Amino acid sequence: MTRPVLYLFGSAAPPVHEFPAVVRRALAEGYDVCVGLTPTAARWLADDRATLEGLTGRPVRSTYKNPGEPDVWPPADVILFAPATFNSVNQWALGLTGHFVVGVVAEGIGKRIPTVAMPCVNAAYVQHPQFERSVVTLRGAGVTVLYGPGGFEPNQPGQRRPYPWDAAFSEIAGIVSGQA
């Protein structure tokens, strides 16, 4: 039996620094993992890139491939986009696909790839009216957005709480077990 393919995507928020441990967990839970990062997250994790590639056996991607080039990743069974920043959530909901990971999740809606997003935004950002509209848009498109009770709850600017990775892993496990 093949392992389900998990695309683990992250944008530039502090929990992205936890990706080596998150990848280890995903592998231990039986996933074949492919890591994708926004350009800033890729810069933040530059020192971890070799570790992530060694763990997954696949290149970490943060840019689109050239047309006609073969894809180096297998097709996804499920996508987890966490942490997803204010910018990434809004770009995705608005269909602005300038970044590789946002393009993949936007296309994933049309391909009906089960996708879970968990934002990482502070309480000041969520006051902007576009953020709530973006969450509603993504949920309406079939994306599971773990935001609010049971998922990520905003903290005050400059404060940090543990990121709720357990909620994300529980959600993707439920999706994958429903596909079996």
Side-chain angles (χ1 to χ4, degrees):
M1 182 172 171
T2 61
R3 299 182 311 156
V5 176
L6 168 66
Y7 285 9
L8 175 63
F9 288 171
S11 45
V16 80
H17 289 289
E18 300 168 22
F19 261 34
V22 173
V23 167
R24 285 184 184 93
R25 177 178 177 172
L27 292 168
E29 291 189 16
Y31 297 98
D32 182 359
V33 183
C34 300
V35 175
L37 302 166
T38 61
T40 302
R43 185 173 49 81
W44 286 11
L45 293 184
D47 291 342
D48 293 314
R49 186 181 199 108
T51 298
L52 294 168
E53 290 178 347
L55 288 167
T56 64
R58 303 189 186 288
V60 172
R61 293 185 61 193
S62 59
T63 60
Y64 288 104
K65 66 180 184 65
N66 289 326
E69 284 182 350
D71 202 333
V72 295
W73 289 355
D77 292 303
V78 63
I79 300 172
L80 173 59
F81 193 172
T85 60
F86 177 81
N87 275 347
S88 292
V89 169
N90 289 328
Q91 288 170 354
W92 181 9
L94 294 169
L96 303 175
T97 61
H99 294 151
F100 166 71
V101 296
V102 176
V104 173
V105 293
E107 187 177 39
I109 291 170
K111 289 181 172 181
R112 302 201 189 298
I113 301 169
T115 302
V116 176
M118 191 160 58
C120 185
V121 294
N122 68 40
Y125 275 125
V126 301
Q127 298 306 309
H128 191 287
Q130 184 57 50
F131 185 75
E132 187 62 35
R133 286 193 292 266
S134 293
V135 169
V136 168
T137 296
L138 293 173
R139 285 178 173 158
V143 175
T144 300
V145 182
L146 300 177
Y147 174 70
F152 180 81
E153 296 189 47
N155 46 281
Q156 292 303 310
Q159 294 179 340
R160 190 150 175 234
R161 290 191 295 264
Y163 195 64
W165 288 111
D166 289 343
F169 274 92
S170 177
E171 192 65 36
I172 62 172
I175 289 168
V176 169
S177 69
Q179 291 177 346

